[in-house]
C-alpha cells in the first residue's frame, strides 16, 4: 500500500510543519491532486499525489509541527492490485534501511563516512626510442611549434586553429606562419578580440568532436576566458559521466615577456596546474615543444599549453622522424648528478641551466630535472632524484604562494623526508605585480645568482 | 537622436569653434603629435621598453572631447593608447615621459609604464592593458557619479577592436538600466592590430552598438575637432542631465603601427598617405587659423617652438631622472 512520506523542500531540510490537509480519509485522488500543504520557516509547498486511489489513513494530523522528513504522513489504497505502485512524493530510502552504517559504527568506531579510494597513480610513458643515427635538425621553438601544428593539421582534418591574428597576420608572434596559406581560412580562423566568446565556441566545437587549437595572443588575455577553460572544458568529462570530452588545446605565450608591465607579465603555471581535468604542459626546449604539442593536439583531455615569448627564438635540436610525439606527464632529466636536485620548467630552465653550468664548474654534481608537464606532474622522477641527492631546489617565474615549487616541496617532504639533508628551497618570482622599470623588473624575476645561492644553502656551502 | 549615415561632415553647417577654442585645440593636438614623435624616437633608441602605442593621427578625438567636458571633474579612462589623453587632461608631460622610460619621476614612479598611468587629481583612471576592461571600469566611475550625485560624467574611450568584447555589452545594459552618466567614445581607427573592422565585426556601424539597450549613438568625423567637440557636448549634456549613457563612434585613423613593431602589411602605404595628406586633424585646424586670421604664421611658429621646448624638457627629464630605488619593488602592493 503506497505510503506518503513527508517531503523535503530543500536538501538541508530536516523537519517541517504539516499545515493543512486538503483531502480526508475516504477521498479518491488521482495524480496531480494536491493532498496537503507543508511549510518550513523559509518556504511552503503543496504535496501532490502521484497515484490514483483512495486515502485510507491520515497518519499526521494537520497543524503538526516538527514532522521529520520521510516520516509517513498518509496511506493510499491504490487502484487494482497496485501494491508496488509508483512511489509517492519524494522517495528517499526509509530511515529504517540505514542501520548498516550504524552497525558498522558500533562494530569498530570507523568513520561514518566511507574513506575516498586512493587517487590512481598516473603513469607516464617513457620518451620514445629514437632510431639509431637519427638526424637532428636545429630549429627554433617557434618553428617547432609551427611544425607540430602543421603536421597535426595534415594528419587530422578535425584539427583547426583559432585566435586573434592567427591567420592573415601570421600570428602575433608568428607561431602560425604559413598555416593560413596551407590550410585555408576554414581551418585557420581569425577571431575578433573576444576571448571569452571564442574560447567557449572552441570548447563547444570540441564537444561536437572537432579538435580545436585555441591560440591566446598571450595567456594574460586568457583570464577573460578562464571560466570556459575551467568550468566548461576541464570539468566536462566528469560532469557527463565520461560521455562528452573536450579534446582541445589552449596555447600561447605565458609568463613575463620584457618590460610590458603588470597586466602583461604573469605566469599562470600554478593557476592551471591546480585544476583536475586539465593537462598542463610547459616545455623549455624546441624538441619538447614539438613533441609535446603534437601529443597535446592528439590528447582527448583539454590541454593548457604554456609557451614563453622569450624562448620562441631559442634554438635546439629536434629529431627528424616521421612522427615525433612525446608523452605528456613525463619529466626529463636534463643532467644526471648526485649532489643536489634542481627542478624547473619552461623559462625557469634557462636560469637553472645557466646556474647548473656554473655549479658543475665549481664541483657540485647537479641533477637537473625539466618537468615539461605540470599536470600530471612527474613527482616520481623528482622523488627518485631527491632520494639520491638529499637536496632540492625548485626554480620558477611565478609567485611563491601556492606555486609549483610549493607543491614540489610538499610532495618531497611527504615522500622523501628521511632522505632530505636540507629543507627544500624555492627560487620564484618576487611576490609583487611585475614592475615596468628596467631595474625593478630585473629584481622581480628570478635569476641565476639566486639559484646558485639556493643550491649553496641546501648544500651548506658558504 | 540624429544619426549621420556618413562620416563626411556636411560642410555647410559645421559647428564652428571660437577663436580661443581653435587656438587651444591646435596647441593641445600639436603637443600630442610632437610628444608622440619624440616617444617613438626614444623607443628606437632603447630608452623606452615593452609596448608603446602612439596616438598620432587620432589627436582630435581626445582634444575635442576633453574640451567639451569639465576638465578635472569628469572622469576619463582609456586603454593602452593613452599618452594623448593624459597630455590633454593636463598631466605633466615630464611625468608621462619619465614613466615611459621607467624612472622614479614617472607618473607611476616607473612601475606602470606606457600602458599604466593614472591621476586621481585629474580624474584620469588609466592606462589599461586589457582590451575592453576600461569599459566596465568607466561604467563603474559613472555608477559612483550617480551614487554620489556629484553631477560629473564618466568618459570611456575604447577601440573598434575592444568594441567586440563581451563586457562592453554587459556594461551597456547596466548603464542604461540604471541610467548612468556614462559617455562611451569608440575610437574607430579602422584596425585592431592587423585586423580591419570588416574582418572583425558583423555590425560596422559602432554608433548602433547600444541600440538594443536603448542607448543613442552617433557617428562622428573624428578627424575634425569641431565635429568631435560638437558631438561630445551633446553626449556629455545627455549624460549629465540624467538621461543616461550615450555612444559616440569617432571615425579616426592611426598613422603609426599598432605598437612599435608592426608588420604594416594589413593596409596600403597609399591609404596612410592619403589620410595624412587629406584629413590630418592638426592641418585642418592650422588652415582655419590662418584663413580666419585667428593667428599668423608667426604665431604658429611660436607655438611650435613652445611645444618643442616642453617636449625637449620632458625628454631630458625622462632620460636624466634616476631609476626607481630598489625598495620600490615592495611598495604599493597593499593599501595602507
Ligand atoms: C583582452 C585582450 N586581448 C588581446 C590583447 C592584445 N591587444 C592589445 S591591443 C589589441 C588591438 C586593439 O584594437 P582596438 O580596440 O581597435 O584599439 P586600437 O589599438 O586600434 O587603439 C590587441 C588585440 C589585449 N591587450 N587584451
Ligand atoms: Mg582600432
Amino acid at each position: 500500500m503506497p505510503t506518503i512520506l513527508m517531503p523535503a523542500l530543500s536538501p538541508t531540510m530536516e523537519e517541517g510543519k504539516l499545515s493543512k490537509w486538503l483531502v480526508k480519509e475516504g477521498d479518491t485522488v488521482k495524480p496531480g491532486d494536491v493532498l496537503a500543504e507543508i511549510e518550513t520557516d523559509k518556504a511552503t509547498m503543496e504535496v501532490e499525489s502521484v497515484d490514483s486511489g483512495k486515502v485510507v489513513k491520515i497518519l499526521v494530523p494537520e497543524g503538526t509541527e516538527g514532522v521529520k522528513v520521510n516520516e509517513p504522513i498518509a496511506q493510499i489504497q491504490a487502484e487494482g492490485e497496485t501494491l508496488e505502485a509508483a512511489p509517492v512524493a519524494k522517495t528517499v530510502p526509509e530511515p529504517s534501511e540505514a542501520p548498516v552504517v550504524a552497525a558498522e559504527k558500533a562494530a569498530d568506531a570507523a568513520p561514518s563516512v566511507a574513506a575516498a579510494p586512493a587517487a590512481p597513480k598516473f603513469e607516464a610513458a617513457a620518451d620514445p626510442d629514437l632510431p639509431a643515427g637519427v638526424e637532428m635538425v636545429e630549429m627554433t621553438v617557434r618553428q617547432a611549434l609551427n611544425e607540430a601544428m602543421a603536421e597535426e593539421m595534415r594528419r587530422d582534418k578535425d584539427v583547426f586553429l583559432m585566435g586573434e591574428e592567427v591567420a592573415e597576420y601570421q600570428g602575433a608572434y608568428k607561431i602560425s606562419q604559413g598555416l593560413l596559406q596551407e590550410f585555408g581560412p576554414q581551418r585557420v580562423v581569425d577571431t575578433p578580440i573576444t576571448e571569452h566568446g571564442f574560447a567557449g565556441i572552441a570548447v563547444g566545437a570540441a564537444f561536437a568532436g572537432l579538435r580545436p587549437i585555441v591560440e591566446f595572443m598571450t595567456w594574460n588575455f586568457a583570464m577573460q576566458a578562464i571560466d570556459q577553460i575551467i568550468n566548461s572544458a576541464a570539468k566536462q568529462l566528469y560532469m557527463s559521466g565520461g560521455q562528452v570530452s573536450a579534446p582541445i588545446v589552449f596555447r600561447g605565450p605565458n609568463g613575463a615577456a620584457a618590460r610590458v608591465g603588470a597586466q602583461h607579465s604573469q605566469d599562470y603555471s600554478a593557476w592551471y596546474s591546480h585544476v583536475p581535468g586539465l593537462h598542463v604542459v610547459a616545455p623549455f626546449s624546441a624538441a619538447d615543444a614539438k613533441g609535446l604539442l603534437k601529443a597535446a593536439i592528439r590528447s582527448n583531455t583539454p590541454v593548457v599549453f604554456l609557451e614563453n615569448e622569450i624562448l620562441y627564438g631559442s634554438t635546439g635540436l629536434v629529431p627528424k622522424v616521421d612522427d615525433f610525439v612525446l608523452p605528456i606527464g613525463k619529466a626529463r632529466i636534463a643532467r644526471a648528478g648526485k649532489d643536489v636536485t634542481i627542478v624547473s620548467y619552461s623559462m625557469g630552465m634557462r636560469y637553472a641551466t645557466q646556474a647548473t653550468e656554473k655549479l658543475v664548474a665549481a664541483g657540485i654534481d647537479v641533477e637537473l630535472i625539466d618537468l615539461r608537464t605540470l599536470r600530471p606532474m612527474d613527482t616520481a622522477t623528482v622523488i627518485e632524484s631527491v632520494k639520491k641527492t638529499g637536496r632540492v631546489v625548485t626554480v620558477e617565474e611565478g609567485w611563491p604562494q601556492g606555486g609549483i615549487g610549493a607543491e614540489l616541496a610538499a610532495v618531497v617532504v611527504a615522500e622523501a623526508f628521511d632522505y632530505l639533508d636540507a629543507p627544500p628551497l624555492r627560487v620564484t618570482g618576487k611576490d609583487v605585480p611585475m614592475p615596468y622599470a628596467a631595474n625593478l623588473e630585473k629584481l622581480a624575476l628570478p635569476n641565476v645568482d639566486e639559484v646558485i645561492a639556493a643550491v649553496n644553502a641546501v648544500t651548506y656551502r658558504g | 537622436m540624429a544619426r549621420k549615415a556618413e562620416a563626411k561632415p556636411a560642410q555647410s553647417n559645421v559647428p564652428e569653434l571660437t577663436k580661443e577654442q581653435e587656438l587651444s585645440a591646435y596647441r593641445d593636438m600639436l603637443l600630442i603629435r610632437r610628444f608622440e614623435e619624440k616617444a617613438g624616437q626614444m623607443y628606437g633608441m632603447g630608452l623606452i621598453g615593452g609596448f608603446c602605442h602612439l596616438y598620432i593621427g587620432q589627436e582630435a578625438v581626445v582634444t575635442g572631447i576633453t574640451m567639451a567636458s569639465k576638465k578635472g571633474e569628469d572622469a576619463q579612462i582609456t586603454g593602452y593608447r593613452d599618452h594623448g589623453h593624459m597630455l590633454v587632461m593636463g598631466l605633466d608631460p615630464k611625468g608621462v615621459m619619465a614613466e615611459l622610460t621607467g624612472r622614479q619621476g614617472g607618473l607611476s614612479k616607473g612601475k606602470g609604464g606606457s600602458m599604466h598611468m593614472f591621476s586621481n587629481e585629474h580624474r584620469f583612471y588609466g592606462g589599461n592593458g586589457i582590451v575592453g576592461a576600461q569599459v566596465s571600469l568607466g561604467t563603474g566611475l559613472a555608477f559612483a557619479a550617480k551614487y554620489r550625485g556629484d553631477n560629473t560624467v564618466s568618459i570611456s574611450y575604447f577601440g573598434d577592436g575592444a568594441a567586440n568584447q563581451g563586457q562592453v555589452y554587459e556594461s551597456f545594459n547596466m548603464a542604461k538600466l540604471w541610467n548612468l552618466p556614462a559617455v562611451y567614445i569608440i575610437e574607430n581607427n579602422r584596425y585592431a592590430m592587423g585586423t580591419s573592422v570588416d574582418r572583425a565585426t558583423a555590425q560596422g556601424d559602432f554608433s548602433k552598438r547600444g541600440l538594443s539597450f536603448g542607448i543613442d549613438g552617433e557617428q562622428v568625423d573624428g578627424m575634425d575637432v569641431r565635429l568631435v567637440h560638437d558631438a561630445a557636448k551633446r553626449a556629455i549634456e545627455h549624460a549629465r542631465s540624467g538621461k543616461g549613457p550615450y555612444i559616440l563612434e569617432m571615425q579616426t585613423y592611426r598613422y603609426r603601427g599598432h605598437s612599435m613593431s608592426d608588420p604594416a602589411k594589413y593596409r596600403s602605404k597609399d591609404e596612410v598617405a592619403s589620410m595624412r595628406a587629406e584629413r590630418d586633424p592638426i592641418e585642418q585646424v592650422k588652415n582655419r587659423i590662418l584663413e580666419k586670421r585667428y593667428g599668423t604664421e608667426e604665431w604658429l611658429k611660436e607655438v611650435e617652438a613652445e611645444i618643442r621646448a616642453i617636449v625637449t624638457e620632458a625628454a631630458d627629464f625622462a632620460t636624466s631622472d634616476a631609476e626607481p630605488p630598489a625598495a620600490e619593488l615592495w611598495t604599493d602592493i597593499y593599501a595602507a
Side-chain angles (χ1 to χ4, degrees):
Chain A
M1 176 174 310
T3 305
I4 303 198
L5 304 176
M6 179 73 173
L9 295 186
S10 75
T12 51
M13 174 177 162
E14 288 172 1
E15 58 175 44
K17 175 179 177 184
L18 203 168
S19 27
K20 191 169 180 198
W21 278 109
L22 294 152
V23 292
K24 52 186 188 316
E25 289 176 359
D27 284 0
T28 316
V29 295
K30 55 184 193 319
D33 284 354
V34 179
L35 304 176
E37 284 174 12
I38 61 166
E39 65 181 75
T40 66
D41 51 352
K42 294 195 232 36
T44 63
M45 190 183 102
E46 292 177 337
V47 182
E48 288 178 8
S49 176
V50 296
D51 299 292
S52 301
K54 197 156 91 186
V55 180
V56 289
K57 185 91 190 140
I58 284 179
L59 302 167
V60 177
E62 69 180 25
T64 311
E65 306 259 10
V67 184
K68 296 266 179 281
V69 168
N70 284 336
E71 189 177 321
I73 55 175
Q75 280 179 330
I76 290 186
Q77 170 74 68
E79 281 170 354
E81 12 83 84
T82 50
L83 282 180
E84 10 151 45
V88 183
K90 277 223 136 173
T91 47
V92 181
E94 300 264 345
S96 59
E97 286 172 14
V100 188
V101 176
E104 254 174 24
K105 212 176 192 170
D108 67 4
S112 59
V113 179
K121 280 257 180 288
F122 179 87
E123 301 248 352
D127 284 22
D129 289 329
L130 294 170
V134 66
E135 187 190 343
M136 299 296 281
V137 185
E138 176 153 326
M139 66 174 77
T140 59
V141 169
R142 173 179 286 112
Q143 285 170 303
L145 294 167
N146 180 272
E147 275 192 4
M149 287 195 288
E151 287 176 16
E152 292 307 300
M153 288 177 78
R154 273 172 221 139
R155 201 184 57 88
D156 182 349
K157 286 211 162 17
D158 286 339
V159 178
F160 70 99
L161 172 67
M162 78 192 297
E164 293 159 23
E165 309 286 6
V166 296
E168 294 203 8
Y169 199 89
Q170 307 289 304
Y173 298 99
K174 301 287 172 275
I175 307 303
S176 56
Q177 183 107 43
L179 297 184
L180 172 68
Q181 283 65 28
E182 180 174 351
F183 300 102
Q186 200 200 338
R187 298 182 68 196
V188 185
V189 184
D190 273 328
T191 64
I193 311 170
T194 50
E195 289 84 3
H196 193 197
F198 70 71
I201 286 172
V203 175
F207 289 172
L210 296 183
R211 307 187 78 86
I213 306 170
V214 172
E215 174 173 309
F216 291 115
M217 194 176 283
T218 78
W219 275 97
N220 302 287
F221 315 139
M223 275 208 282
Q224 303 280 320
I226 197 167
D227 178 71
Q228 294 289 17
I229 300 172
I230 294 176
N231 262 328
S232 303
K235 300 175 183 174
Q236 182 65 24
L237 188 68
Y238 200 82
M239 293 190 301
S240 66
Q243 282 186 76
V244 182
S245 63
I248 187 168
V249 178
F250 302 102
R251 49 157 290 272
N254 173 54
R259 308 288 309 282
V260 291
Q263 291 183 335
H264 283 68
S265 315
Q266 194 167 324
D267 180 357
Y268 292 90
S269 306
W271 290 51
Y272 289 105
S273 86
H274 189 62
V275 183
L278 291 180
H279 283 172
V280 182
V281 179
F284 169 61
S285 72
D288 289 347
K290 180 167 183 187
L292 287 167
L293 183 53
K294 280 169 68 81
I297 295 168
R298 289 182 197 187
S299 167
N300 289 328
T301 293
V303 179
V304 163
F305 198 90
L306 304 170
E307 302 158 9
N308 186 290
E309 187 191 332
I310 295 171
L311 296 178
Y312 280 152
S314 71
T315 54
L317 295 174
V318 179
K320 192 173 178 180
V321 291
D322 273 352
D323 207 18
F324 180 62
V325 183
L326 289 172
I328 288 176
K330 188 78 192 159
R332 179 175 63 93
I333 298 175
R335 182 186 189 278
K338 56 177 182 0
D339 292 342
V340 60
T341 304
I342 302 179
V343 190
S344 189
Y345 61 93
S346 186
M347 187 61 189
M349 277 299 291
R350 179 172 278 188
Y351 312 117
T353 307
Q354 290 169 11
T356 296
E357 281 165 16
K358 293 192 178 183
L359 288 161
V360 170
I364 304 185
D365 193 12
V366 173
E367 176 141 309
L368 176 59
I369 297 176
D370 180 355
L371 286 175
R372 304 195 293 187
T373 298
L374 304 176
R375 172 179 277 270
M377 195 184 273
D378 186 1
T379 52
T381 295
V382 175
I383 293 295
E384 202 177 314
S385 172
V386 171
K387 284 183 176 170
K388 182 171 62 172
T389 63
R391 303 155 203 276
V392 60
V393 168
T394 63
V395 185
E396 69 195 297
E397 257 194 8
W399 292 310
Q401 183 165 328
I404 300 297
E407 174 65 18
L408 283 166
V411 172
V412 164
V413 166
E415 295 181 25
F417 186 76
D418 293 339
Y419 297 83
L420 285 174
D421 295 318
L425 280 189
R426 293 176 287 166
V427 176
T428 68
K430 303 303 173 296
D431 203 10
V432 304
M434 186 62 72
Y436 167 73
N439 64 326
L440 297 185
E441 189 186 57
K442 253 203 194 107
L443 296 175
L445 291 165
N447 60 47
V448 175
D449 288 346
E450 287 173 353
V451 179
I452 291 174
V455 168
N456 285 340
V458 298
T459 52
Y460 305 108
R461 295 154 31 100
Chain B
M1 196 49 60
R3 180 186 307 285
K4 299 184 191 78
E6 283 284 293
K8 295 279 172 293
Q11 290 296 343
S12 50
N13 52 3
V14 173
E16 294 298 338
L17 295 176
T18 64
K19 176 181 171 188
E20 285 66 37
Q21 285 173 324
E22 290 277 33
L23 298 183
S24 105
Y26 178 70
R27 196 188 287 270
D28 282 350
M29 291 197 282
L30 196 65
L31 174 61
I32 300 177
R33 178 77 49 102
R34 297 292 175 258
F35 183 97
E36 293 288 66
E37 286 165 353
K38 189 76 193 172
Q41 186 194 29
M42 287 168 63
Y43 191 97
M45 295 160 67
L47 292 161
I48 297 171
F51 295 130
C52 183
H53 310 86
L54 302 181
Y55 197 62
I56 294 176
Q58 302 181 212
E59 295 92 341
V61 177
V62 76
T63 302
I65 290 180
T66 305
M67 196 185 273
S69 73
K70 287 192 191 161
K71 208 160 143 176
E73 291 178 40
D74 292 334
Q76 299 209 40
I77 186 166
T78 186
Y80 41 82
R81 202 176 295 289
D82 56 352
H83 312 160
H85 298 68
M86 292 181 280
L87 295 174
V88 169
M89 289 188 76
L91 277 72
D92 180 8
K94 292 207 296 285
V96 180
M97 197 69 97
E99 191 59 40
L100 297 186
T101 55
R103 307 303 169 97
Q104 64 176 2
L107 288 177
S108 300
K109 303 181 196 164
K111 293 157 87 165
S114 163
M115 296 187 286
H116 310 299
M117 286 183 244
F118 310 84
S119 167
N120 266 326
E121 184 195 343
H122 293 86
R123 301 220 65 213
F124 179 66
Y125 294 90
N128 294 278
I130 299 304
V131 167
Q134 74 268 35
V135 183
S136 307
L137 300 172
T139 306
L141 293 166
F143 184 97
K146 178 159 189 195
Y147 187 95
R148 291 225 175 88
D150 62 11
N151 207 33
T152 64
V153 307
S154 159
I155 303 168
S156 309
Y157 299 81
F158 52 106
D160 47 282
N164 296 322
Q165 284 284 35
Q167 61 179 315
V168 171
Y169 301 92
E170 300 178 19
S171 300
F172 281 1
N173 182 40
M174 286 181 272
K176 186 62 189 180
L177 183 67
W178 299 329
N179 262 331
L180 304 180
V183 176
Y184 298 109
I185 310 295
I186 304 180
E187 296 199 62
N188 177 4
N189 59 10
R190 303 194 195 175
Y191 299 93
M193 284 187 65
T195 302
S196 61
V197 164
D198 57 331
R199 291 206 303 114
T201 179
Q203 172 51 278
D205 181 344
F206 291 95
S207 70
K208 291 185 179 154
R209 290 294 184 94
L211 275 190
S212 66
F213 305 103
I215 305 177
D216 289 326
E218 296 178 40
Q219 282 188 317
V220 182
D221 175 358
M223 303 302 272
D224 186 334
V225 72
R226 297 170 302 178
L227 294 166
V228 173
H229 172 257
D230 183 59
K233 272 196 318 196
R234 268 193 305 283
I236 292 173
E237 167 53 25
H238 181 96
R240 207 184 305 283
S241 66
K243 293 189 196 133
Y246 203 91
I247 294 171
L248 296 179
E249 173 191 343
M250 292 292 162
Q251 300 191 315
T252 182
Y253 201 75
R254 79 168 146 71
Y255 296 175
R256 298 294 188 93
H258 167 72
S259 178
M260 298 309 294
S261 94
D262 182 299
K265 285 195 183 133
Y266 51 86
R267 60 182 183 184
S268 68
K269 284 211 170 73
D270 284 354
E271 180 182 302
V272 184
S274 83
M275 284 303 285
R276 291 188 93 125
E278 292 158 28
R279 308 281 305 283
D280 187 73
I282 301 180
E283 283 300 308
Q284 290 188 38
V285 186
K286 187 176 171 181
N287 292 338
R288 286 198 302 273
I289 289 175
L290 291 173
E291 255 166 47
K292 298 191 173 171
R293 300 184 192 286
Y294 288 163
T296 59
E297 291 279 2
E298 256 332 278
W299 182 84
L300 293 172
K301 276 196 193 124
E302 276 167 34
V303 174
E304 182 80 43
E306 242 174 77
I307 300 250
R308 279 195 186 282
I310 294 172
V311 170
T312 306
E313 190 194 3
D316 288 348
F317 175 71
T319 44
S320 59
D321 190 28
E323 288 190 315
E328 284 294 346
L329 186 65
W330 295 105
T331 63
D332 306 320
I333 300 167
Y334 306 100

